[in-house]
Amino acid sequence: MTVPSCDAGFGMTVPSCDAGFGMTETSPVVTFGSRTKRGDYPGTCGVLVHNTEAKMISVEDGRELEQGEIGEICVRGPQVMAGYYRNPEATAATIDSDGWLHTGDVGYCNDDGFFFIVDRVKELIKYKGFQVRAEPFTATVVRQVAPASLEDLLRKHGGVADAAVIGVPDEEAGELPRAYVVTSDPAITEQQLADFVNRRVNPFSRLRGGVRIVDAIPKSATGKTLRRQLRQAAERELAAQRGAAGPQSVP
């Protein structure tokens, strides 16, 4: 977050603005200090607080990633909770045997130690799993698409006022990325927006689920995108399409 964005968001002049990252399970701080002597990076949630470790792991196979790569943020330190009260199953699902707490947040750390949050693991779109064989084992690898990165790209289009991306069900691919867009230019078409994105992303991140131009993106009182409502709208659309197709005859 930058000072100008704070000014715009609060409708007043903010002399300084800083950011941090944490959760209840980390009591609650992991990173803080987006404005330090090491640099000023818009969008960062700061650097690690003292005595805290962090690593990124692949959301596809759990391997540890290199600095700068995007993955799930895992943290370890004295502020991490001992566990959930009387819920060992939930604790084991959140804190691994080495004491790393899996935050469920997707992000990366740059070369200067600044962290950036880009999405949530549960929001990732799972596109087209494929099998990798290494005898005697077989593993299924699923491409993960981060909705937030596609939303940021769409907002860079001059005719887009707001955007949200979800995964829509597909029998072959699992899920397909679909964008819901509020335009500021009535002449912009859904196909133009799809082409704008698809030319700039890797093949599995393309908007194969299409684009829908809408009047508004559903949001909570705090401004969080209500993706659940968009998924429900997509489900209704798919159900209507199946109904319009009518019953299929079986030879």
Side-chain angles (χ1 to χ4, degrees):
M1 181 176 287
T2 62
V3 171
S5 67
C6 285
D7 292 345
F10 292 106
M12 63 181 72
T13 300
V14 180
S16 65
C17 185
D18 218 328
F21 161 67
M23 51 200 299
T24 303
E25 291 86 345
T26 59
S27 310
V29 181
V30 174
T31 67
F32 189 73
S34 59
R35 298 166 64 84
T36 74
K37 293 180 180 179
R38 281 188 277 176
D40 184 5
Y41 296 95
T44 182
C45 57
V47 298
L48 288 172
V49 297
H50 292 299
N51 302 317
T52 301
E53 301 173 88
K55 66 177 181 178
M56 311 298 171
I57 64 170
S58 168
V59 296
E60 296 175 354
D61 56 24
R63 62 186 171 83
E64 186 170 347
L65 302 176
E66 299 293 331
Q67 187 148 345
E69 291 188 281
I70 296 176
E72 182 182 7
I73 300 173
C74 298
V75 299
R76 186 166 64 181
Q79 76 274 48
V80 171
M81 67 172 185
Y84 294 109
Y85 183 62
R86 293 183 177 178
N87 196 337
E89 293 81 9
T91 299
T94 305
I95 303 176
D96 64 29
S97 58
D98 293 321
W100 290 101
L101 183 144
H102 295 241
T103 65
D105 289 293
V106 178
Y108 66 95
C109 178
N110 71 11
D111 290 337
D112 286 329
F114 286 84
F115 283 74
F116 298 79
I117 308 296
V118 300
D119 224 312
R120 290 281 294 165
V121 170
K122 66 181 181 180
E123 301 290 359
L124 295 178
I125 299 167
K126 300 171 181 62
Y127 173 75
K128 214 165 192 174
F130 60 93
Q131 288 192 332
V132 177
R133 290 183 174 84
E135 296 297 341
F137 303 105
T138 299
T140 299
V141 178
V142 179
R143 297 290 191 184
Q144 306 273 359
V145 180
S149 62
L150 295 177
E151 292 164 358
D152 288 343
L153 177 57
L154 278 163
R155 293 188 187 105
K156 292 177 181 177
H157 188 289
V160 171
D162 200 3
V165 175
I166 63 168
V168 294
D170 181 80
E171 290 185 2
E172 180 184 351
E175 290 182 308
L176 297 175
R178 172 182 291 180
Y180 289 83
V181 180
V182 178
T183 63
S184 55
D185 181 354
I188 295 294
T189 67
E190 294 175 347
Q191 188 58 53
Q192 287 174 332
L193 293 171
D195 292 342
F196 173 81
V197 171
N198 294 344
R199 288 195 300 266
R200 292 167 171 80
V201 298
N202 53 49
F204 62 84
S205 294
R206 291 172 183 165
L207 296 174
R208 300 178 189 273
V211 176
R212 300 292 184 269
I213 293 177
V214 295
D215 293 331
I217 302 297
K219 295 189 178 183
S220 68
T222 59
K224 181 180 179 181
T225 298
L226 299 176
R227 299 183 197 273
R228 176 175 51 83
Q229 292 188 17
L230 295 176
R231 293 191 187 98
Q232 291 171 346
E235 289 170 1
R236 289 193 296 269
E237 181 180 334
L238 291 172
Q241 290 173 353
R242 288 192 293 267
Q248 302 296 311
S249 60
V250 179

